[in-house]
Amino acid sequence: MPTRPPTHAIVRAPSPRLLEALGQDPGVTIDYPLALAQHATYVDALHALGLTVVELPPLADFADACFVEDTAVVFGDAALVTRPGAPSRRGEEQTVAQALAELGLDLTFMQAPATLDGGDVLRVGNVFLVGRSARTNAAGIDALERFARQVDPDARVVPIDLPPALLHLKCHVSALSDDTVLAARALPLDLPAHVRRLDIPDAESFAANAVATPAGVLVAAGHPRTAEVLAAAGYRTRPIVTSELAKADGSLTCLSVLCAAPRDGHP
Ligand code: CIR
């Protein structure tokens, strides 16, 4: 069954503790007011794609809580609420779960010792490529497989060992649709035969992580080759700057959870 176009995006503005977020290089300082402004621009861009944006209140105690993607994997009318791999991030998932429930999705909650970050899950139709990473363990991958098969008995989960330097699988690849992915050239991927791969140069690998809806694609600004590849393939693109969130290892998909709400009950 083809993926229904998303109707909603769940987001959360960066916490005032963003400067303590995981993954920053020493000597690099996040400009918090600029991070807030960039996040607001991202939210505007989601609106422009026709999505209803559910803005969760910032979580003051969670430095990484704006990276909501890691807390849930949506598949059809269901969502797997994850147990994030970084202990400091556990708890972020609760308000995301509540928002998904209010939108009418059926929730499954991952249990210890499983851990998984949504940033490791690349869904292409009913095939889930999942990064085996420092954040996502074997029990997390098993839990993802059980969840996916409950929703669609034909769903497949394919684990991928990540290069050690890569935080999440989706740092260097993202799905544009049920049959197309955008990927950095150097990333090896065992894709199903029907999946088309659009390659971008490794120098632009940050831009491989794009937010795609049928209405258009949000893509990291300042990556001209990627913009050309997408345009040549017929995608309408909208460049976005998220430099301050990138300093905390965040890319574009990690700032939202997209879903097609079975019940549009959110205020
Ligand atoms: C972390 O290390 O968890 C955050 N600083 C960045 C998470 C980025 N998430 C994502 O790309 N899905």
Side-chain angles (χ1 to χ4, degrees):
M1 206 192 314
T3 300
R4 279 183 291 129
T7 56
H8 287 70
I10 298 171
V11 302
R12 174 165 21 230
S15 149
R17 283 184 50 195
L18 180 67
L19 277 67
E20 298 163 45
L22 299 169
Q24 293 169 65
D25 286 334
V28 171
T29 308
I30 294 174
D31 178 335
Y32 179 61
L34 184 55
L36 285 179
Q38 291 178 344
H39 190 270
T41 306
Y42 177 87
V43 169
D44 288 346
L46 294 173
H47 281 296
L49 292 179
L51 296 167
T52 301
V53 181
V54 178
E55 294 195 54
L56 302 177
L59 286 181
D61 290 338
F62 289 88
D64 290 285
C66 60
F67 304 118
V68 287
E69 172 182 61
D70 293 320
T71 63
V73 177
V74 171
F75 187 28
D77 291 348
L80 175 65
V81 179
T82 71
R83 186 165 173 269
S88 66
R89 299 197 57 187
R90 293 188 196 139
E92 291 177 17
E93 70 281 3
Q94 290 171 14
T95 45
V96 175
Q98 197 181 331
L100 288 166
E102 285 173 18
L103 291 171
L105 280 91
D106 281 333
L107 304 187
T108 298
F109 288 83
M110 191 172 271
Q111 305 295 333
T115 64
L116 178 139
D117 279 4
D120 273 324
V121 180
L122 174 70
R123 185 179 65 77
V124 195
N126 67 354
V127 179
F128 291 74
L129 304 182
V130 53
R132 248 195 284 256
S133 70
R135 301 289 179 89
T136 296
N137 65 16
I141 294 173
D142 287 348
L144 175 69
E145 186 157 31
R146 283 194 299 278
F147 161 75
R149 291 255 174 88
Q150 257 168 27
V151 178
D152 175 356
D154 294 330
R156 258 191 327 125
V157 171
V158 182
I160 294 182
D161 290 317
L162 297 190
L166 211 54
L167 172 64
H168 289 133
L169 173 63
K170 277 197 290 191
C171 289
H172 287 178
V173 59
S174 56
L176 297 173
S177 68
D178 283 351
D179 64 9
T180 305
V181 301
L182 180 69
R185 195 159 285 139
L187 184 68
L189 288 173
D190 190 9
L191 292 167
H194 72 280
V195 174
R196 174 171 66 140
R197 174 177 171 146
L198 301 182
D199 274 322
I200 60 169
D202 296 329
E204 295 198 7
S205 59
F206 180 73
N209 180 285
V211 175
T213 75
V217 180
L218 308 188
V219 62
H223 295 82
R225 201 45 214 128
T226 304
E228 278 170 23
V229 166
L230 287 168
Y235 290 93
R236 192 179 323 156
T237 58
R238 191 183 176 99
I240 290 281
V241 177
T242 55
S243 60
E244 300 315 293
L245 300 150
K247 289 176 184 171
D249 277 347
S251 33
L252 298 192
T253 63
C254 58
L255 295 170
S256 55
V257 174
L258 304 190
C259 66
R263 177 177 74 228
D264 187 353
H266 208 277

